[in-house]
Amino acid sequence: MLNSVDVRTTETRTVPTMWNLLETYVATKADERAFIFLGPDNVEQEVLTYGALHRLAVAYGKQLRLATQPGDRAILMFPTGLSFIVSFLACHFAGVVPVPMVPLKGQRLRDTVLAIAENCAATVVMTTSEQSEFLKSQLSVLPTYADAGFIGVNVDLECPPVTSNDTPHPAQLSELAFIQYTSGSTSVPKGVMVSHANLAANLEMMTIAYENDQYSSYVGWAPLYHDMGLIANVLEPFYLGTLCVLMAPNLFAHRPWLWLKAISDYQAHVSGGPNYAYDLCIERAEEILEMGFDLSSWRVAFNSAEPVRAETLRRFTAAFMPLGFRPQTFYPCFGMAEATLLITGGTRAQVPLIENLSRTGLANGMAIEANDPKDTIEVVGCGQVLQQEDIRIVDPHSTIEKPDGEIGEIWVAGPHIPFGYWNNPVSSKETYQATIAGSIGPRFLRTGDLGFMQAGELYVTGRHKDLIIVRGHNVFPQDLEFIAERAAPGLKRNSGAAFAIEDPSDGQQTLCLVQEVMLSQRYTIDVDDTIKAIRQAIMKETDITVHKIILVQPSSIPKTSSGKIRRAETKKRYIDGTLLVVQAQSSAATRQKATA
């Protein structure tokens, strides 16, 4: 058992493993509903009580034992649904390490899936019965999977009662609870080794930060192979012993009002997603308001995984206050798979902190107040340091700690920080064994994200690897992308990539921006006028000239399985001339190779 201190009560309480929790729930509330999965139109498609979840997890856990040894890995490849949760807990029963993985459909993400599968070297693959044969054929190209077992999981399985002989694996807190592969936005996905102790510590941190209790019901739509979907939307409500309602990501993407409908129908307390999720709802606000939802139960609307935009917070609050949404419900926070999940967060009664800072100052590494409206940029605070945690802002090159108000790399230490990446000792040492210059203190996780601290609040400014340097000034690509996608009609949101290309002859940087157009506009958009509008908007707000602006077809820009822009891969495709470009003449063919 893991002992942790609850800062609200200063009492020490014992935090069990996920299987220990399930056994407790079976003994105290076996017939209560634990998980609900919603199908089209939010009709309840799958339901699991704690008792049914336990019986299914034991049944499939016993199947796992026939094909594995404790410590073996099992790939979990499911569309969003309750079979994933059954499989995750079945792995814990058998002492097998679950490896959540994005579902493979045709050639989509095939290279990523194969790279992850090869790295984790799983003994067994758990999936739906319908997908089993397809996955066998796809993974058979890897020698490791020639003899792998495949288990089809069905939540409607009629399984026998659990007997006294069905003894779970006696997990130690140092053992792995799962391996979470990173999104791969700046590199090949790497498997974060999350122990039972890491997981328990982060779930307790989340409980305290969100002020959760056993009644804090959840609604979630993020994919379950992603750290936000798994930990924030499934394991945290399971940790609390409260109801969790899930829906498919594609259902949300096409009909975002169903997310708010689920919150209203189940009077959920906690639900959230990346910034773009709130933008999608804003775009359909007029329709949503007519539906008359009740959002007054919503206490924590976490906003994370990509830059949090002040404009989005204001517009969403203004749009949905008539439905009971409150400004303080918004909960900007910062987290990542390498830290299990949550790193910083605020308090539930606090409205988001928004600072008006000098864009020029930020470009020079300093958070200073803006004196010129043309030089102003809004930066949203992502919360404070959480219990038992240590956060420092460090120069990524010299490893010297920076004072408040100066931008550096965000470093984190604490009980929730895993030991490293699976089967990757070089990256593990680089990322998880960092020390501050001149310090004999703890070893830190290098997040790779840039930010600064101000009065105890963390402000995140961007990824270190994505940072662009133009004429000696730092440029954050997400700022240019945000301006570009709003500069003219017909441009797709969250679908732009800014990057720089260096001329090897003179070292000069060419600043490039690739932007997708909407599907409905790909034949009619005025390319020349749109490019002109983007260039002028960026110049007006940042005094930066973008040398090359390319409009491309929908779905041309590569993204991770969780929807993050892969800027390095976009840059590669630009250089290779393989982007699908929208031609200047709308009547002409719509595809050509991009050239530098």
Side-chain angles (χ1 to χ4, degrees):
M1 299 294 182
L2 174 69
N3 290 326
S4 66
V5 178
D6 187 330
V7 297
R8 295 167 300 184
T9 63
T10 68
E11 295 178 356
T12 300
R13 74 188 193 90
T14 300
V15 180
T17 65
M18 297 299 100
W19 191 264
N20 294 150
L21 282 171
L22 182 56
E23 290 185 327
T24 299
Y25 299 148
V26 169
T28 57
K29 50 182 180 181
D31 295 330
E32 285 190 21
R33 301 200 298 181
F35 293 99
I36 298 172
F37 175 64
L38 303 178
D41 297 316
N42 283 15
V43 174
E44 293 186 0
Q45 188 168 309
E46 298 174 344
V47 178
L48 282 177
T49 64
Y50 291 105
L53 177 58
H54 183 254
R55 289 192 297 275
L56 285 164
V58 169
Y60 284 107
K62 290 164 70 174
Q63 287 190 40
L64 277 171
R65 279 183 170 167
L66 299 176
T68 63
Q69 296 294 323
D72 285 352
R73 276 75 58 209
I75 287 174
L76 273 54
M77 193 180 292
F78 294 90
T80 300
L82 303 190
S83 293
F84 176 96
I85 300 170
V86 168
S87 301
F88 188 88
L89 288 167
C91 288
H92 283 208
F93 173 87
V96 173
V97 182
V99 183
M101 194 179 297
V102 57
L104 185 60
K105 297 179 181 178
Q107 296 302 306
R108 177 179 174 267
L109 296 173
R110 185 172 185 269
D111 290 344
T112 298
V113 167
L114 292 180
I116 294 173
E118 188 169 28
N119 179 260
C120 73
T123 304
V124 68
V125 178
M126 304 184 78
T127 184
T128 62
S129 300
E130 297 78 13
Q131 282 282 296
S132 184
E133 289 302 319
F134 171 71
L135 291 182
K136 282 183 184 179
S137 66
Q138 294 296 308
L139 294 176
S140 63
V141 299
L142 301 175
T144 309
Y145 290 84
D147 298 320
F150 287 78
I151 298 177
V153 180
N154 179 7
V155 295
D156 293 328
L157 175 74
E158 289 292 333
C159 50
V162 177
T163 69
S164 58
N165 294 327
D166 296 328
T167 306
H169 171 74
Q172 302 298 308
L173 287 172
S174 58
E175 293 179 21
L176 296 187
F178 63 101
I179 298 175
Q180 177 69 58
Y181 277 82
T182 61
S183 61
S185 58
T186 59
S187 63
V188 175
K190 295 184 283 288
V192 180
M193 298 186 291
V194 180
S195 70
H196 290 282
N198 298 146
L199 178 60
N202 207 226
L203 293 175
E204 180 67 5
M205 290 167 70
M206 201 175 301
T207 298
I208 295 171
Y210 291 1
E211 299 179 41
N212 278 337
D213 57 31
Q214 61 180 324
Y215 306 108
S216 300
S217 53
Y218 272 64
V219 163
W221 53 264
L224 302 188
Y225 55 79
H226 187 258
D227 51 350
M228 180 185 289
L230 173 60
I231 301 172
N233 289 343
V234 171
L235 297 185
E236 173 65 9
F238 180 75
Y239 177 74
L240 300 169
T242 190
L243 179 66
C244 172
V245 180
L246 299 171
M247 56 194 301
N250 62 334
L251 205 60
F252 158 73
H254 291 101
R255 306 176 70 188
W257 60 85
L258 291 177
W259 175 33
L260 303 188
K261 183 180 189 306
I263 294 171
S264 175
D265 288 348
Y266 292 92
Q267 288 294 281
H269 298 170
V270 185
S271 191
N275 196 81
Y276 80 85
Y278 299 98
D279 283 334
L280 284 178
C281 293
I282 293 168
E283 292 173 5
R284 312 300 288 268
E286 189 173 335
E287 300 170 57
I288 293 172
L289 288 171
E290 292 178 354
M291 298 177 188
F293 300 146
D294 176 11
L295 303 181
S296 61
S297 66
W298 204 355
R299 300 175 187 171
V300 176
F302 57 83
N303 187 330
S304 187
E306 64 182 30
V308 181
R309 303 290 182 186
E311 176 189 344
T312 300
L313 304 184
R314 280 195 296 269
R315 292 181 63 202
F316 189 94
T317 300
F320 298 112
M321 281 185 71
L323 301 183
F325 188 86
R326 297 176 296 276
Q328 61 268 33
T329 297
F330 261 125
Y331 193 94
C333 51
F334 172 56
M336 62 191 308
E338 278 87 349
T340 302
L341 182 61
L342 186 65
I343 295 175
T344 59
T347 58
R348 209 168 67 188
Q350 172 186 314
V351 296
L353 295 178
I354 301 173
E355 295 289 340
N356 293 305
L357 301 178
S358 165
R359 191 187 298 272
T360 303
L362 290 179
N364 291 315
M366 297 291 294
I368 57 177
E369 187 176 348
N371 295 318
D372 182 354
K374 293 182 179 180
D375 185 41
T376 300
I377 184 171
E378 292 183 312
V379 183
V380 180
C382 290
Q384 301 95 43
V385 178
L386 303 178
Q387 65 153 9
Q388 300 185 26
E389 186 179 50
D390 190 358
I391 294 181
R392 309 290 180 91
I393 306 298
V394 182
D395 184 296
H397 305 292
S398 68
T399 70
I400 295 173
E401 185 175 358
K402 286 182 169 288
D404 275 15
E406 290 191 18
I407 295 175
E409 186 179 9
I410 303 165
W411 288 19
V412 189
H416 60 306
I417 304 299
F419 291 109
Y421 298 116
W422 177 263
N423 196 24
N424 197 333
V426 174
S427 292
S428 294
K429 184 176 181 180
E430 292 174 351
T431 303
Y432 283 95
Q433 300 297 318
T435 55
I436 295 173
S439 170
I440 57 173
R443 295 187 181 274
F444 286 85
L445 160 69
R446 299 185 64 156
T447 67
D449 282 297
L450 299 174
F452 63 91
M453 296 292 294
Q454 191 105 288
E457 186 84 4
L458 176 68
Y459 296 82
V460 182
T461 56
R463 293 289 293 172
H464 177 51
K465 290 183 179 179
D466 288 335
L467 188 67
I468 303 169
I469 301 177
V470 179
R471 300 190 303 275
H473 294 283
N474 295 333
V475 178
F476 300 103
Q478 64 268 24
D479 292 341
L480 304 185
E481 295 155 6
F482 181 74
I483 297 168
E485 68 187 22
R486 288 161 171 76
L491 301 177
K492 191 175 177 182
R493 300 291 177 93
N494 192 42
S495 298
F499 50 87
I501 297 175
E502 183 176 300
D503 187 331
S505 63
D506 57 12
Q508 292 297 310
Q509 297 276 354
T510 297
L511 185 57
C512 306
L513 187 139
V514 179
Q515 171 63 51
E516 288 184 12
V517 302
M518 291 180 176
L519 185 65
S520 61
Q521 300 294 314
R522 66 192 189 283
Y523 298 124
T524 58
I525 194 166
D526 190 315
V527 173
D528 291 339
D529 283 356
T530 301
I531 289 175
K532 182 180 178 180
I534 292 173
R535 183 171 281 116
Q536 288 178 342
I538 292 175
M539 171 62 77
K540 180 180 179 181
E541 292 200 38
T542 68
D543 283 332
I544 292 172
T545 299
V546 181
H547 306 102
K548 296 280 187 179
I549 299 175
I550 306 97
L551 301 186
V552 296
Q553 295 289 327
S555 302
S556 294
I557 291 179
K559 298 181 180 180
T560 69
S561 59
S562 58
K564 294 180 181 178
I565 301 296
R566 296 175 63 193
R567 297 184 180 92
E569 178 61 23
T570 305
K571 176 179 176 178
K572 180 180 180 298
R573 294 185 187 185
Y574 172 80
I575 294 171
D576 293 344
T578 56
L579 289 172
L580 304 178
V581 177
V582 177
Q583 291 193 3
Q585 299 297 322
S586 60
S587 60
T590 59
R591 294 186 178 184
Q592 71 175 32
K593 287 187 176 181
T595 56

